Amino acid sequence: MEESALHQELPFFKNLQEYLREFVYGGIDGAVTTFAVVAGAVGASLDPMVIIILGFANLFADGLSMSIGAYLSSKSEKENYQKHKNIEYWEVDNLPMKEREEIVTIYKEKGFEGELLQKVVDVIVSDRDRWVNEMMKDELNMIEEVKSPFKIGLATLISFVVIGFIPLTVYVWDFFYEANFDVFLWTCMLTGVAFVFVGTLKSWVNQTGIWQSVLETLSLGFIAAMVAYFVGDILEALLLK
């Protein structure tokens, strides 16, 4: 059995692909913001315990905030689509001649004319739902969001927390086992691996070159971390010395 056929048969793979975009961008945001918190705390020479506290506070507070934002945005988009759809149903029921002329205009602009144009228009207006869907798509340029707002928010939250935890991994390990290596250096390397992973997924989602996507994600992540590190270092020098 081919892999593509297998993915079509298993709902898990279908859902994974459907919400991959939310997973990718939630993961990028989680890795970037948590790594920036860690880098800023290291730049300010804060105690590792403080780094862990700040990191986890950011992980769950920002993750929840981002997922709620994604949920509300998707929900508002669906509600806005339904509002305009209800308006179109009212217009079709109460202003049918005007709405028919709009269909004629739309299909004239697509190159239809004469008898063929009238046949196409007759077919469209013969079905109320088809008529309204045509108006939504071609007049209002609105396409219905079929994905669940709850699943969009959930995918965002899961990816933010899972990928965002990676910059904290070594500090948590050090807390329990007292690592005898450069904790921040290993954090940078592990976070780099996380950026490569989500950058690769981003290239798949956006259908762009893999190296371009990976380098872009790495660059943005480490620029944010460098800014946070130097801000922490400067503030530590100004306020604590």
Side-chain angles (χ1 to χ4, degrees), residues 120-148:
V120 169
V121 172
D122 288 341
V123 169
I124 291 172
V125 302
S126 65
D127 184 286
R128 183 169 175 262
D129 293 330
R130 184 192 299 131
W131 191 352
V132 168
N133 288 335
E134 196 69 26
M135 298 300 291
M136 293 296 295
K137 179 170 65 75
D138 287 322
E139 182 192 26
L140 301 180
N141 296 314
M142 297 181 70
I143 298 176
E144 186 174 11
E145 173 62 81
V146 297
K147 293 191 286 188
S148 161

Side-chain angles (χ1 to χ4, degrees), residues 15-16 60 70 74 79 93 111 115 119 135 137 157 234:
N15 288 334
L16 183 63
F60 290 101
S74 176
E79 290 172 346
D93 291 338
E115 186 179 349
K119 285 182 178 179
M135 298 300 291
K137 179 170 65 75
L157 177 62
I234 292 169

Side-chain angles (χ1 to χ4, degrees), residues 15-30:
N15 288 334
L16 183 63
Q17 291 177 345
E18 190 175 1
Y19 295 94
L20 185 60
R21 180 179 296 274
E22 287 73 25
F23 185 89
V24 167
Y25 288 104
I28 290 174
D29 200 46

